[in-house]
Amino acid sequence: MEIDDHLLGAALPKLRAVLAETALPSLRLTVAAECAPDTTGTRLGGLPLLAPGVAWPYSPSGNAQYFLGQLNSDDVNAGLGAAYLPPETVLGFFYDWAEQRWGFDPADAGHWRVVVTPLDSAVGSASSPVSGPSESFTGHAVDVAVVRTVPGIEEPEVEAGRGKHWWQRRDPVEDFYRAFENDDVPLHRVFGWPDLLQGPMRLECQLAANGVHHGNPAGLEGARVEQLRPGAEDWLLLWQLDTDDTMDWVWADSGRLYYWIRRQDLAVGDFDRSWLVLQCS
């Protein structure tokens, strides 16, 4: 969720302190004009740039995954003013459109991929092995805005300090968060805090990536949950991709895809262990 100085100043002092301390920079991407399908810059749609010998990703079920877009690491690092991603690299993002897995089941692993390609060995794919909707994923350039994001109202950082009691008719924290209305504008975001549709995802990623089924309520009662819980803080949003009419993207019921990565894996450039969550309202 994005915030500016004016809106932050309107928060109650206790909440303002929490948001100021936990705010994260983010790049908000807005679909711009169509572009060539194999440009090296950050874009949505088009065709992936893969190193020679690297195969197109397929899911365990045998489905060819759909290519959604790419991040140029130099674009991202320059925008955020820090080396978040390996230099001179493109990250290609794939997803199994046919099955649209949600990410709460450990068995969902392998139904998305983040493929890392050094720019000096990147070769544009001549075509996609996927037929159908992928043909409409025309390459689009993006307009980039550097913004400040804060945790959603349900994130533990905010929940811990709310302190609302049953006798209170109104919750001032809820009143404050209502100001974050976005008028249904697609929210594509690189790093920062996610724009939640259903609830926090870091624990979900931590559990599912470590073999605990988060979608089953009984899974939250498993013996491993408390052991794994501290590691939830290691997960960072990598890329958020929204439903977008221009891109012909509809995730479930007008939802969003969220690619996540552990900060330890990001530090060493290991994107094979990324996790994905699909949410819809």
Side-chain angles (χ1 to χ4, degrees), residues 50-115:
L50 301 174
V54 174
W56 190 284
Y58 279 73
S59 294
S61 53
N63 298 325
Q65 297 185 15
Y66 287 68
F67 174 70
L68 305 182
Q70 74 182 18
L71 297 178
N72 179 296
S73 64
D74 295 337
D75 292 345
V76 172
N77 294 342
L80 294 174
Y84 281 72
L85 298 175
E88 300 179 351
T89 300
V90 289
L91 274 59
F93 289 76
F94 295 80
Y95 181 56
D96 187 341
W97 176 290
E99 297 199 24
Q100 295 209 15
R101 298 292 185 100
W102 294 83
F104 54 72
D105 188 340
D108 292 343
H111 290 267
W112 58 84
R113 282 282 305 280
V114 179
V115 178

Coordinates of all heavy atoms in Angstrom, one line a residue, residues 50-115:
L50 N 16.0 -15.8 -23.0 CA 16.6 -17.0 -22.3 C 18.0 -17.2 -22.8 O 18.3 -16.9 -24.0 CB 15.8 -18.2 -22.6 CG 14.3 -18.2 -22.2 CD1 13.5 -19.4 -22.7 CD2 14.2 -18.0 -20.7
A51 N 18.9 -17.8 -22.0 CA 20.2 -18.1 -22.4 C 20.2 -19.3 -23.3 O 19.2 -20.2 -23.2 CB 21.1 -18.4 -21.2
P52 N 21.1 -19.5 -24.2 CA 21.1 -20.7 -25.1 C 21.1 -22.0 -24.3 O 21.8 -22.1 -23.3 CB 22.5 -20.5 -25.8 CG 22.7 -19.0 -25.8 CD 22.2 -18.5 -24.5
G53 N 20.3 -22.9 -24.7 CA 20.2 -24.1 -24.0 C 19.2 -24.2 -22.9 O 18.9 -25.3 -22.3
V54 N 18.6 -23.0 -22.5 CA 17.6 -23.0 -21.4 C 16.3 -23.3 -22.0 O 15.8 -22.6 -22.9 CB 17.6 -21.6 -20.6 CG1 16.5 -21.6 -19.6 CG2 19.0 -21.4 -20.0
A55 N 15.6 -24.3 -21.4 CA 14.3 -24.7 -22.0 C 13.2 -23.8 -21.4 O 13.3 -23.2 -20.3 CB 14.0 -26.1 -21.6
W56 N 12.1 -23.7 -22.2 CA 10.9 -23.0 -21.7 C 10.3 -23.8 -20.5 O 10.2 -25.0 -20.5 CB 9.9 -23.0 -22.9 CG 8.7 -22.2 -22.6 CD1 7.6 -22.4 -21.8 CD2 8.4 -20.9 -23.2 NE1 6.7 -21.4 -21.8 CE2 7.2 -20.4 -22.7 CE3 9.1 -20.1 -24.1 CZ2 6.6 -19.2 -23.0 CZ3 8.5 -18.9 -24.5 CH2 7.3 -18.4 -23.9
P57 N 9.9 -23.1 -19.5 CA 9.4 -23.8 -18.3 C 8.1 -24.5 -18.5 O 7.2 -24.0 -19.1 CB 9.3 -22.7 -17.3 CG 10.1 -21.5 -17.8 CD 10.1 -21.6 -19.2
Y58 N 8.0 -25.7 -17.9 CA 6.8 -26.5 -17.9 C 6.5 -26.8 -16.5 O 7.4 -27.0 -15.6 CB 7.0 -27.8 -18.7 CG 6.8 -27.6 -20.2 CD1 7.8 -27.0 -21.0 CD2 5.7 -28.1 -20.9 CE1 7.7 -26.8 -22.3 CE2 5.5 -27.9 -22.2 CZ 6.5 -27.3 -23.0 OH 6.4 -27.1 -24.3
S59 N 5.2 -27.0 -16.2 CA 4.8 -27.3 -14.8 C 4.9 -28.9 -14.6 O 4.9 -29.6 -15.6 CB 3.3 -26.9 -14.6 OG 3.2 -25.5 -14.6
P60 N 4.9 -29.3 -13.4 CA 4.9 -30.8 -13.2 C 3.8 -31.5 -13.9 O 3.9 -32.7 -14.2 CB 4.8 -30.9 -11.6 CG 5.3 -29.6 -11.1 CD 4.9 -28.6 -12.1
S61 N 2.6 -30.8 -14.1 CA 1.5 -31.5 -14.8 C 1.7 -31.5 -16.3 O 0.8 -32.1 -17.0 CB 0.2 -30.7 -14.4 OG 0.4 -29.3 -14.7
G62 N 2.8 -31.0 -16.8 CA 3.0 -31.0 -18.2 C 2.6 -29.8 -19.0 O 2.8 -29.7 -20.2
N63 N 2.0 -28.8 -18.3 CA 1.6 -27.6 -19.0 C 2.8 -26.7 -19.3 O 3.6 -26.4 -18.4 CB 0.6 -26.8 -18.1 CG -0.7 -27.6 -17.9 OD1 -1.1 -28.4 -18.8 ND2 -1.3 -27.4 -16.7
A64 N 2.8 -26.1 -20.5 CA 3.8 -25.1 -20.7 C 3.3 -23.8 -20.0 O 2.2 -23.5 -20.1 CB 3.9 -24.8 -22.2
Q65 N 4.2 -23.2 -19.3 CA 3.9 -22.0 -18.5 C 3.8 -20.8 -19.4 O 4.5 -20.7 -20.4 CB 4.8 -21.8 -17.3 CG 4.8 -23.0 -16.4 CD 5.7 -22.7 -15.1 OE1 6.1 -21.6 -14.9 NE2 6.0 -23.8 -14.4
Y66 N 3.0 -19.8 -19.0 CA 2.8 -18.6 -19.7 C 3.9 -17.5 -19.2 O 4.1 -17.4 -18.0 CB 1.4 -18.0 -19.5 CG 0.3 -18.8 -20.2 CD1 0.0 -20.1 -19.8 CD2 -0.4 -18.2 -21.2 CE1 -1.0 -20.8 -20.5 CE2 -1.4 -18.9 -21.9 CZ -1.7 -20.2 -21.5 OH -2.7 -20.9 -22.1
F67 N 4.4 -16.8 -20.2 CA 5.4 -15.8 -19.9 C 4.6 -14.5 -19.6 O 3.8 -14.0 -20.5 CB 6.4 -15.6 -21.0 CG 7.3 -14.4 -20.8 CD1 8.3 -14.5 -19.8 CD2 7.2 -13.3 -21.6 CE1 9.2 -13.4 -19.6 CE2 8.1 -12.2 -21.4 CZ 9.1 -12.3 -20.4
L68 N 4.9 -13.9 -18.5 CA 4.1 -12.7 -18.1 C 4.9 -11.4 -18.2 O 4.3 -10.4 -18.5 CB 3.7 -12.8 -16.6 CG 2.9 -14.1 -16.3 CD1 2.4 -14.1 -14.8 CD2 1.6 -14.2 -17.2
G69 N 6.2 -11.5 -18.1 CA 7.0 -10.2 -18.3 C 8.3 -10.4 -17.7 O 8.7 -11.5 -17.2
Q70 N 9.1 -9.3 -17.7 CA 10.5 -9.4 -17.2 C 10.9 -8.1 -16.5 O 10.3 -7.1 -16.7 CB 11.5 -9.7 -18.3 CG 11.7 -8.5 -19.2 CD 12.7 -8.8 -20.4 OE1 12.9 -10.0 -20.7 NE2 13.2 -7.8 -21.0
L71 N 11.8 -8.3 -15.5 CA 12.4 -7.2 -14.8 C 13.8 -7.1 -15.3 O 14.6 -8.1 -15.3 CB 12.4 -7.4 -13.3 CG 11.0 -7.5 -12.7 CD1 11.2 -7.7 -11.2 CD2 10.2 -6.2 -12.9
N72 N 14.2 -5.9 -15.7 CA 15.6 -5.7 -16.0 C 16.3 -5.2 -14.7 O 15.9 -4.2 -14.1 CB 15.8 -4.6 -17.1 CG 17.2 -4.3 -17.4 OD1 17.9 -3.8 -16.6 ND2 17.6 -4.5 -18.7
S73 N 17.3 -5.9 -14.2 CA 17.8 -5.7 -12.9 C 18.4 -4.3 -12.8 O 18.4 -3.6 -11.8 CB 18.9 -6.7 -12.6 OG 20.0 -6.6 -13.5
D74 N 19.0 -3.8 -13.9 CA 19.6 -2.5 -13.9 C 18.5 -1.4 -13.8 O 18.7 -0.4 -13.1 CB 20.5 -2.2 -15.1 CG 21.7 -3.1 -15.2 OD1 22.1 -3.6 -14.1 OD2 22.2 -3.4 -16.3
D75 N 17.4 -1.6 -14.4 CA 16.3 -0.7 -14.3 C 15.8 -0.6 -12.8 O 15.6 0.5 -12.3 CB 15.1 -1.1 -15.2 CG 15.3 -1.0 -16.7 OD1 16.3 -0.4 -17.0 OD2 14.5 -1.6 -17.4
V76 N 15.6 -1.8 -12.2 CA 15.1 -1.9 -10.9 C 16.1 -1.3 -9.9 O 15.8 -0.5 -9.0 CB 14.8 -3.3 -10.5 CG1 14.5 -3.5 -9.0 CG2 13.7 -3.9 -11.4
N77 N 17.4 -1.6 -10.0 CA 18.4 -1.1 -9.1 C 18.5 0.4 -9.2 O 18.7 1.1 -8.2 CB 19.7 -1.8 -9.3 CG 19.7 -3.3 -9.0 OD1 18.8 -3.8 -8.3 ND2 20.7 -4.0 -9.6
A78 N 18.5 0.9 -10.4 CA 18.6 2.4 -10.6 C 17.4 3.1 -10.0 O 17.5 4.1 -9.3 CB 18.7 2.7 -12.1
G79 N 16.2 2.5 -10.2 CA 15.0 3.1 -9.6 C 15.0 3.1 -8.1 O 14.5 4.1 -7.5
L80 N 15.4 2.1 -7.5 CA 15.4 2.0 -6.0 C 16.7 2.5 -5.4 O 16.8 2.6 -4.2 CB 15.2 0.5 -5.6 CG 13.8 -0.1 -6.0 CD1 13.8 -1.5 -5.7 CD2 12.7 0.7 -5.3
G81 N 17.7 2.8 -6.2 CA 18.9 3.4 -5.7 C 19.8 2.4 -4.9 O 20.5 2.8 -4.0
A82 N 19.6 1.1 -5.1 CA 20.4 0.1 -4.4 C 20.4 -1.2 -5.2 O 19.6 -1.4 -6.1 CB 19.8 -0.2 -3.0
A83 N 21.4 -2.0 -5.0 CA 21.6 -3.2 -5.7 C 20.7 -4.4 -5.2 O 21.2 -5.3 -4.5 CB 23.1 -3.7 -5.7
Y84 N 19.4 -4.3 -5.5 CA 18.5 -5.3 -5.1 C 18.7 -6.6 -5.9 O 18.5 -7.7 -5.3 CB 17.1 -4.8 -5.2 CG 16.6 -3.9 -4.1 CD1 17.1 -2.6 -4.0 CD2 15.6 -4.3 -3.2 CE1 16.6 -1.7 -3.1 CE2 15.2 -3.5 -2.2 CZ 15.7 -2.2 -2.1 OH 15.2 -1.3 -1.2
L85 N 18.9 -6.5 -7.2 CA 19.0 -7.6 -8.1 C 20.4 -7.7 -8.7 O 21.1 -6.8 -8.8 CB 18.0 -7.4 -9.2 CG 16.5 -7.4 -8.8 CD1 15.6 -7.1 -10.0 CD2 16.1 -8.7 -8.1
P86 N 20.8 -8.9 -9.1 CA 22.1 -9.1 -9.8 C 22.2 -8.2 -11.0 O 21.2 -8.1 -11.8 CB 22.0 -10.6 -10.2 CG 21.0 -11.2 -9.4 CD 20.0 -10.2 -9.1
P87 N 23.3 -7.5 -11.2 CA 23.5 -6.5 -12.2 C 23.4 -7.2 -13.6 O 23.7 -8.4 -13.8 CB 24.8 -5.9 -12.0 CG 25.6 -6.9 -11.2 CD 24.6 -7.6 -10.4
E88 N 23.1 -6.4 -14.6 CA 23.1 -6.8 -16.0 C 22.4 -8.2 -16.2 O 22.9 -9.1 -16.9 CB 24.6 -6.9 -16.5 CG 25.3 -5.5 -16.4 CD 26.7 -5.6 -16.9 OE1 27.2 -6.7 -17.1 OE2 27.3 -4.5 -17.0
T89 N 21.2 -8.2 -15.7 CA 20.4 -9.5 -15.7 C 19.0 -9.1 -16.0 O 18.5 -8.1 -15.7 CB 20.5 -10.2 -14.4 OG1 21.9 -10.5 -14.1 CG2 19.7 -11.5 -14.3
V90 N 18.3 -10.1 -16.7 CA 16.8 -10.0 -16.8 C 16.2 -11.2 -16.0 O 16.7 -12.3 -16.1 CB 16.3 -9.9 -18.2 CG1 16.7 -8.6 -18.9 CG2 16.9 -11.1 -19.0
L91 N 15.1 -10.9 -15.3 CA 14.4 -12.0 -14.7 C 13.1 -12.2 -15.4 O 12.3 -11.2 -15.6 CB 14.0 -11.5 -13.2 CG 15.1 -11.8 -12.1 CD1 16.4 -11.1 -12.4 CD2 14.6 -11.4 -10.8
G92 N 12.8 -13.4 -15.9 CA 11.6 -13.7 -16.6 C 10.6 -14.4 -15.7 O 11.0 -15.3 -15.0
F93 N 9.4 -14.0 -15.7 CA 8.4 -14.5 -14.8 C 7.4 -15.3 -15.6 O 6.7 -14.8 -16.5 CB 7.7 -13.4 -14.0 CG 8.6 -12.7 -13.0 CD1 9.6 -11.8 -13.4 CD2 8.4 -12.9 -11.7 CE1 10.4 -11.2 -12.5 CE2 9.3 -12.3 -10.7 CZ 10.3 -11.5 -11.2
F94 N 7.2 -16.6 -15.1 CA 6.3 -17.5 -15.8 C 5.3 -18.0 -14.8 O 5.5 -18.1 -13.6 CB 7.1 -18.7 -16.3 CG 8.1 -18.4 -17.4 CD1 9.3 -17.9 -17.1 CD2 7.7 -18.7 -18.7 CE1 10.2 -17.6 -18.1 CE2 8.7 -18.4 -19.7 CZ 9.9 -17.8 -19.4
Y95 N 4.1 -18.4 -15.3 CA 3.0 -18.9 -14.5 C 2.1 -19.9 -15.3 O 1.9 -19.7 -16.5 CB 2.2 -17.8 -14.0 CG 1.0 -18.1 -13.0 CD1 1.2 -18.8 -11.9 CD2 -0.3 -17.7 -13.4 CE1 0.2 -19.1 -11.0 CE2 -1.3 -18.0 -12.5 CZ -1.1 -18.7 -11.3 OH -2.1 -19.0 -10.5
D96 N 1.7 -20.9 -14.6 CA 0.8 -21.9 -15.2 C -0.6 -21.4 -15.3 O -1.4 -21.5 -14.3 CB 0.9 -23.2 -14.5 CG 0.1 -24.4 -15.2 OD1 -0.8 -24.1 -16.0 OD2 0.3 -25.5 -14.9
W97 N -1.0 -20.7 -16.4 CA -2.3 -20.1 -16.5 C -3.4 -21.1 -16.5 O -4.5 -20.9 -16.0 CB -2.3 -19.3 -17.8 CG -3.6 -18.7 -18.2 CD1 -4.8 -19.3 -18.6 CD2 -3.9 -17.3 -18.2 NE1 -5.7 -18.4 -18.9 CE2 -5.3 -17.2 -18.6 CE3 -3.2 -16.1 -17.9 CZ2 -5.9 -15.9 -18.8 CZ3 -3.8 -14.9 -18.0 CH2 -5.1 -14.8 -18.5
A98 N -3.1 -22.3 -17.1 CA -4.2 -23.3 -17.2 C -4.7 -23.8 -15.8 O -5.9 -24.0 -15.6 CB -3.6 -24.5 -18.0
E99 N -3.8 -23.9 -14.8 CA -4.2 -24.4 -13.5 C -4.4 -23.3 -12.5 O -5.1 -23.4 -11.5 CB -3.2 -25.4 -13.0 CG -3.1 -26.7 -13.9 CD -2.5 -27.8 -13.2 OE1 -2.5 -27.9 -11.9 OE2 -2.0 -28.7 -13.9
Q100 N -3.7 -22.2 -12.6 CA -3.7 -21.0 -11.7 C -3.7 -21.5 -10.2 O -4.7 -21.3 -9.5 CB -5.0 -20.2 -12.0 CG -4.9 -19.5 -13.4 CD -5.7 -18.2 -13.5 OE1 -6.1 -17.6 -12.5 NE2 -5.9 -17.8 -14.7
R101 N -2.6 -22.1 -9.9 CA -2.4 -22.5 -8.5 C -2.4 -21.3 -7.5 O -1.9 -20.3 -7.9 CB -1.2 -23.4 -8.3 CG -1.2 -24.7 -9.2 CD -2.2 -25.7 -8.6 NE -2.1 -26.9 -9.3 CZ -1.5 -28.0 -8.9 NH1 -0.9 -28.0 -7.7 NH2 -1.4 -29.1 -9.6
W102 N -2.9 -21.5 -6.3 CA -3.0 -20.5 -5.3 C -1.8 -20.3 -4.4 O -1.6 -19.2 -3.9 CB -4.2 -20.7 -4.4 CG -5.5 -20.6 -5.2 CD1 -6.1 -21.6 -5.9 CD2 -6.3 -19.5 -5.3 NE1 -7.2 -21.2 -6.5 CE2 -7.4 -19.9 -6.1 CE3 -6.3 -18.2 -4.8 CZ2 -8.5 -19.0 -6.4 CZ3 -7.3 -17.3 -5.1 CH2 -8.4 -17.7 -5.9
G103 N -1.0 -21.3 -4.3 CA 0.2 -21.2 -3.5 C 0.2 -21.6 -2.0 O 1.2 -21.5 -1.3
F104 N -1.0 -22.0 -1.5 CA -1.1 -22.4 -0.1 C -0.8 -23.9 0.1 O -0.7 -24.4 1.2 CB -2.5 -22.1 0.5 CG -3.7 -22.6 -0.3 CD1 -4.0 -24.0 -0.3 CD2 -4.5 -21.8 -1.0 CE1 -5.0 -24.5 -1.0 CE2 -5.6 -22.3 -1.7 CZ -5.9 -23.6 -1.7
D105 N -0.6 -24.6 -1.0 CA -0.4 -26.1 -1.0 C 1.1 -26.3 -1.4 O 1.5 -25.8 -2.4 CB -1.3 -26.8 -1.9 CG -1.3 -28.3 -1.8 OD1 -0.3 -28.8 -1.3 OD2 -2.2 -29.0 -2.2
P106 N 1.8 -27.0 -0.6 CA 3.2 -27.4 -1.0 C 3.3 -28.0 -2.4 O 4.3 -27.8 -3.1 CB 3.7 -28.3 0.1 CG 2.9 -28.0 1.3 CD 1.5 -27.6 0.7
A107 N 2.2 -28.7 -2.8 CA 2.2 -29.3 -4.1 C 2.1 -28.3 -5.3 O 2.2 -28.7 -6.4 CB 1.0 -30.3 -4.2
D108 N 1.8 -27.0 -4.9 CA 1.8 -26.0 -6.0 C 3.2 -25.6 -6.5 O 3.3 -25.0 -7.6 CB 1.1 -24.7 -5.4 CG -0.4 -24.9 -5.1 OD1 -0.9 -25.9 -5.6 OD2 -0.9 -24.1 -4.4
A109 N 4.2 -26.0 -5.8 CA 5.6 -25.7 -6.3 C 5.8 -26.2 -7.7 O 5.3 -27.3 -8.1 CB 6.6 -26.3 -5.3
G110 N 6.5 -25.4 -8.5 CA 6.8 -25.8 -9.8 C 5.8 -25.3 -10.9 O 6.0 -25.5 -12.1
H111 N 4.7 -24.7 -10.4 CA 3.7 -24.2 -11.3 C 3.9 -22.7 -11.6 O 3.1 -22.0 -12.2 CB 2.3 -24.4 -10.8 CG 1.9 -25.8 -10.8 ND1 1.2 -26.4 -11.9 CD2 2.2 -26.9 -9.9 CE1 1.0 -27.7 -11.6 NE2 1.6 -28.0 -10.5
W112 N 5.1 -22.2 -11.3 CA 5.6 -20.9 -11.7 C 7.1 -21.0 -11.7 O 7.7 -21.9 -11.2 CB 5.2 -19.8 -10.7 CG 5.6 -20.1 -9.3 CD1 6.8 -19.8 -8.7 CD2 4.9 -20.8 -8.3 NE1 6.9 -20.2 -7.4 CE2 5.7 -20.9 -7.1 CE3 3.6 -21.3 -8.2 CZ2 5.3 -21.5 -5.9 CZ3 3.2 -21.9 -7.0 CH2 4.1 -22.0 -5.9
R113 N 7.7 -20.0 -12.4 CA 9.2 -20.0 -12.4 C 9.7 -18.5 -12.6 O 9.0 -17.7 -13.2 CB 9.7 -20.8 -13.7 CG 9.8 -22.3 -13.5 CD 10.9 -22.8 -12.7 NE 12.2 -22.3 -13.1 CZ 12.9 -22.9 -14.2 NH1 12.4 -23.9 -14.8 NH2 14.0 -22.4 -14.5
V114 N 10.8 -18.3 -12.0 CA 11.5 -17.0 -12.2 C 12.9 -17.4 -12.8 O 13.7 -18.1 -12.2 CB 11.7 -16.2 -10.9 CG1 12.5 -14.9 -11.2 CG2 10.4 -15.9 -10.3
V115 N 13.1 -17.1 -14.1 CA 14.3 -17.5 -14.8 C 15.2 -16.3 -14.9 O 14.8 -15.2 -15.4 CB 13.9 -18.0 -16.2 CG1 15.1 -18.4 -17.0 CG2 12.9 -19.2 -16.1

